[in-house]
């Protein structure tokens, strides 16, 4: 609960500084930057925190491709675009999932119009953002990154790369 409260506070105050923009340009090409900056600032900030944490977790490990790790950390939530979820949509989705996961999953729908569309879309994006983001990366020809993004909320497997394992851990910490 404490982590969720802190996430909410960080969401309210989320912003990026010049150092963050330099970091993003260092690891993402122009098309990927369009996807990154297409997220709400709260998700951009979360992705940056996840990337910085992942680098800390990777420190001293020889078998980690740090460039790939940072790239997937920055891109892992690109399935969440501005207007799809936002801070209040995320609060709604998390509370619905925590208190009534079956109802939340039944209500999730990709439509952007209709009865309670914002809430239904928020739930849909909450549950399916990994697949949505993966499809975007596949369209850019980034199959390796797409695979990691698609799997970042799936249960761990013995075939997972060390980078995917670090991404999951860093994501859970942020």
């Amino acid at each position: 609960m404490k982590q969720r409260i802190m996430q909410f506070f960080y969401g309210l105050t989320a912003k990026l500084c010049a150092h963050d923009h330099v970091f993003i340009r260092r690891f993402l090409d122009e098309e990927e930057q369009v996807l990154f900056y297409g997220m709400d600032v709260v998700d951009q900030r979360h992705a940056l925190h996840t990337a910085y944490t992942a680098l800390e977790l990777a420190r001293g490990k020889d078998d980690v491709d740090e460039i790939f790790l940072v790239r997937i950390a920055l891109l892992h939530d690109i399935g969440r675009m501005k207007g799809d979820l936002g801070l209040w949509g995320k609060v709604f989705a998390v509370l619905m999932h925590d208190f009534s996961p079956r109802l939340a999953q039944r209500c999730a729908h990709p439509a952007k119009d209709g009865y309670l569309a914002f809430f239904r879309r928020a739930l849909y994006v909450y549950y399916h953002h990994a697949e949505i983001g993966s499809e975007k990366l596949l369209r850019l020809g980034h199959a390796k990154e797409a695979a990691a993004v698609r799997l970042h909320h799936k249960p761990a497997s013995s075939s997972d790369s060390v980078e995917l394992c670090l991404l999951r851990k860093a994501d859970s910490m942020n």
Side-chain angles (χ1 to χ4, degrees):
M1 182 62 142
K2 180 181 175 185
Q3 183 181 8
R4 290 290 189 197
I5 292 169
M6 292 304 295
Q7 286 174 333
F8 179 73
F9 174 74
Y10 289 138
L12 287 175
T13 60
K15 61 183 177 180
L16 277 61
C17 66
H19 168 78
D20 295 324
H21 295 291
V22 170
F23 185 82
I24 293 160
R25 284 192 303 273
R26 181 174 161 209
F27 291 97
L28 301 181
D29 67 30
E30 288 183 23
E31 291 177 312
E32 294 161 341
Q33 287 178 45
V34 169
L35 295 176
F36 180 87
Y37 287 114
M39 294 187 295
D40 278 309
V41 69
V42 63
D43 290 318
Q44 293 172 21
R45 182 79 257 156
H46 164 72
L48 280 160
H49 278 299
T50 301
Y52 295 143
T53 301
L55 276 175
E56 286 293 316
L57 294 171
R59 186 179 293 157
K61 296 183 188 298
D62 294 332
D63 58 341
V64 177
D65 180 344
E66 289 184 356
I67 292 173
F68 178 66
L69 176 62
V70 171
R71 289 173 49 69
I72 62 175
L74 290 173
L75 297 168
H76 79 280
D77 281 343
I78 60 167
R80 299 175 176 176
M81 300 303 291
K82 287 179 186 161
D84 280 344
L85 201 57
L87 179 61
W88 293 110
K90 190 181 291 185
V91 168
F92 168 74
V94 166
L95 290 174
M96 280 291 293
H97 175 76
D98 286 351
F99 290 109
S100 187
R102 285 187 187 163
L103 177 62
Q105 289 176 349
R106 283 197 314 265
C107 291
H109 194 277
K112 293 184 179 181
D113 57 352
Y115 184 66
L116 299 174
F118 171 78
F119 298 106
R120 297 185 80 195
R121 175 83 180 160
L123 288 167
Y124 180 82
V125 171
Y126 177 79
Y127 286 118
H128 299 283
H129 71 276
E131 294 86 5
I132 295 166
S134 178
E135 291 299 319
K136 290 176 181 185
L137 289 168
L138 282 174
R139 285 193 292 273
L140 295 180
H142 301 301
K144 187 176 176 185
E145 290 84 351
V149 167
R150 181 176 296 277
L151 296 172
H152 82 273
H153 282 300
K154 300 286 186 201
S157 165
S158 60
S159 62
D160 290 342
S161 69
V162 65
E163 293 84 6
L164 178 56
C165 295
L166 290 169
L167 169 61
R168 283 189 185 118
K169 184 169 184 166
D171 190 26
S172 72
M173 295 168 69
N174 290 285

